[in-house]
Amino acid sequence: MKSFSESYKAAGVDITAGYKAVELMKTHIARTMTEGVVSGIGGFGGLFALDLSQTKNPVLVSGTDGVGTKLKIAFMMDKHDTVGIDCVAMCVNDILCCGAKPLLFLDYIACGKNVPEKIASIVAGIAEGCVQAGCALVGGETAEMPGFYPENEYDLAGFSVGVVDKERILDNGTMRAGDIMIGLASSGVHSNGFSLVRKVFDLENRDITKPLAVLNGKSLGETLLTPTKIYVAPMLALFDQVQVKAVSHITGGGFYENIPRSLPEGYGAKIEESVLPKLPIFSLLMQEGNIDKRDMYNTFNMGVGMTLVVAPEDADKAMAVLKEAGENAFVMGEITKTEGVELC
């Protein structure tokens, strides 16, 4: 018999709704189970057995992040099955920047009112993200917090752990001027810059469900909710076949903040702007917000979700591996001995 508290329910917390949410999410969680999972859901901790047979000196790599104010669009559209993908993506894509393989993921959902079907929909997205990343959803927490969050709103964050052999941690110490920078296309705005997005488009005072020709017939809401692309499978394939010197996940801060994070002191990147994907959403943002080009590249991914650096002699091989994995990859520039990012 499950516990029940009439007093707690009167205070706004229905623990029976929590039990129902768990039951509804079980089928989604089951999709993410990998060989390392030892425990089921419902315990006090998620157990995962490391297979180190192919790893000489294992190093654990962790990453945590949330979805941010992109959630506001999910509330407005009453669509909750994709933001979980964003949550996973923001964590596992960061882990890739060390050369690591994601192993497991945990989520944290805080809400004003636990509506089991809505929570299950959120977890369905998280599970889909975990499947795409090849990692297991080993646990999580749903916190019902009446009076702290509005009834129809929630926050979503996550945490991931991966592993990399110490000798295979990406080393930018071998970087040289003339090395090649390759970009991987983004799926859209991903999960950064939405405070500016919401201000520019004044989302609360416009119809975001109306199809727009400038967005190829998609609505603004649908376009903005496009989930963050997860790059795990193609990047792991690349790590196995090519020496990658550095990887940058292009998140908040855009090109000007994230690319230098992966480069050694004294080095920079010269990027050919004309080869970058031209996504209509960024042109619309720039136009409606009257945002200058530098601010755009300093806030958004501008069509590039991830960058990587290889030696010139490895560039063709890297491109072939990425394209075979189904990625829209392109040579976007080269490394220079001048610090910073130069668009030309």
Side-chain angles (χ1 to χ4, degrees):
M1 181 178 177
K2 295 187 181 297
S3 64
F4 173 76
S5 170
E6 192 66 49
S7 298
Y8 209 6
K9 184 175 182 180
V13 179
D14 185 356
I15 56 178
T16 59
Y19 298 143
K20 182 179 180 182
V22 170
E23 289 300 316
L24 291 174
M25 66 178 70
K26 280 183 176 178
T27 56
H28 304 302
I29 296 171
R31 297 180 59 216
T32 76
M33 294 297 100
T34 61
E35 290 184 3
V37 178
V38 175
S39 61
I41 61 170
F44 289 98
L47 304 180
F48 191 93
L50 281 172
D51 178 4
L52 301 178
S53 59
Q54 304 298 318
T55 310
K56 295 179 181 178
N57 297 297
V59 176
L60 295 179
V61 183
S62 57
T64 186
D65 210 336
V67 182
T69 63
K70 181 174 185 174
L71 293 175
K72 287 284 191 180
I73 291 88
F75 305 155
M76 296 175 68
M77 296 287 287
D78 194 22
K79 180 174 173 57
H80 311 282
D81 61 346
T82 61
V83 289
I85 301 174
D86 291 291
C87 191
V88 175
M90 296 305 292
C91 298
V92 298
N93 286 345
D94 278 356
I95 285 175
L96 286 174
C97 297
C98 298
K101 170 184 171 60
L103 297 173
L104 58 90
F105 188 84
L106 294 95
D107 65 78
Y108 175 76
I109 305 169
C111 58
K113 181 177 176 60
N114 187 334
V115 179
E117 292 77 12
K118 181 184 291 187
I119 299 299
S121 184
I122 297 167
V123 174
I126 296 169
E128 173 59 28
C130 287
V131 169
Q132 291 182 24
C135 66
L137 179 56
V138 298
E141 169 71 7
T142 301
E144 189 174 15
M145 303 166 68
F148 195 87
Y149 291 96
E151 279 197 1
N152 295 321
E153 296 192 3
Y154 55 85
D155 198 7
L156 174 61
F159 175 86
S160 186
V161 176
V163 66
V164 61
D165 201 317
K166 189 173 183 180
E167 65 185 30
R168 297 189 66 181
I169 296 173
L170 300 190
D171 178 16
N172 64 12
T174 63
M175 199 171 292
R176 300 290 181 267
D179 282 346
I180 302 300
M181 179 168 284
I182 293 173
L184 301 182
S186 72
S187 56
V189 183
H190 283 185
S191 300
N192 301 102
F194 273 83
S195 294
L196 180 55
V197 168
R198 289 165 44 239
K199 179 181 178 182
V200 166
F201 290 139
D202 190 19
L203 296 179
E204 287 77 12
N205 296 302
R206 72 190 292 170
D207 181 3
I208 65 171
T209 65
K210 179 183 177 181
L212 299 177
V214 70
L215 297 177
N216 299 319
K218 291 186 176 182
S219 70
L220 187 56
E222 180 185 7
T223 300
L224 293 175
L225 273 186
T226 302
T228 305
K229 189 162 178 53
I230 292 174
Y231 299 99
V232 173
M235 290 301 293
L236 292 182
L238 185 65
F239 294 152
D240 283 341
Q241 299 182 59
V242 176
Q243 181 186 358
V244 178
K245 299 187 178 187
V247 174
S248 289
H249 182 200
I250 310 301
T251 56
F255 282 36
Y256 291 108
E257 181 177 322
N258 290 290
I259 290 176
R261 291 172 64 185
S262 68
L263 307 181
E265 186 176 348
Y267 286 83
K270 185 176 182 180
I271 294 170
E272 187 177 345
E273 187 180 2
S274 63
V275 305
L276 306 181
K278 303 297 187 290
L279 301 186
I281 186 62
F282 295 117
S283 299
L284 189 62
L285 268 167
M286 192 172 184
Q287 177 184 338
E288 289 206 17
N290 193 27
I291 306 171
D292 66 46
K293 186 169 77 171
R294 181 178 175 87
D295 277 358
M296 290 293 295
Y297 279 93
N298 210 155
T299 307
F300 302 110
N301 67 61
M302 298 302 287
V304 183
M306 185 161 279
T307 67
L308 59 109
V309 178
V310 297
E313 60 269 22
D314 291 329
D316 288 345
K317 175 67 171 177
M319 288 289 290
V321 171
L322 291 166
K323 289 187 175 181
E324 185 177 350
E327 284 302 308
N328 178 7
F330 40 89
V331 173
M332 58 185 285
E334 65 178 18
I335 300 302
T336 68
K337 277 290 288 178
T338 303
E339 287 190 345
V341 174
E342 178 189 357
L343 293 171
C344 60

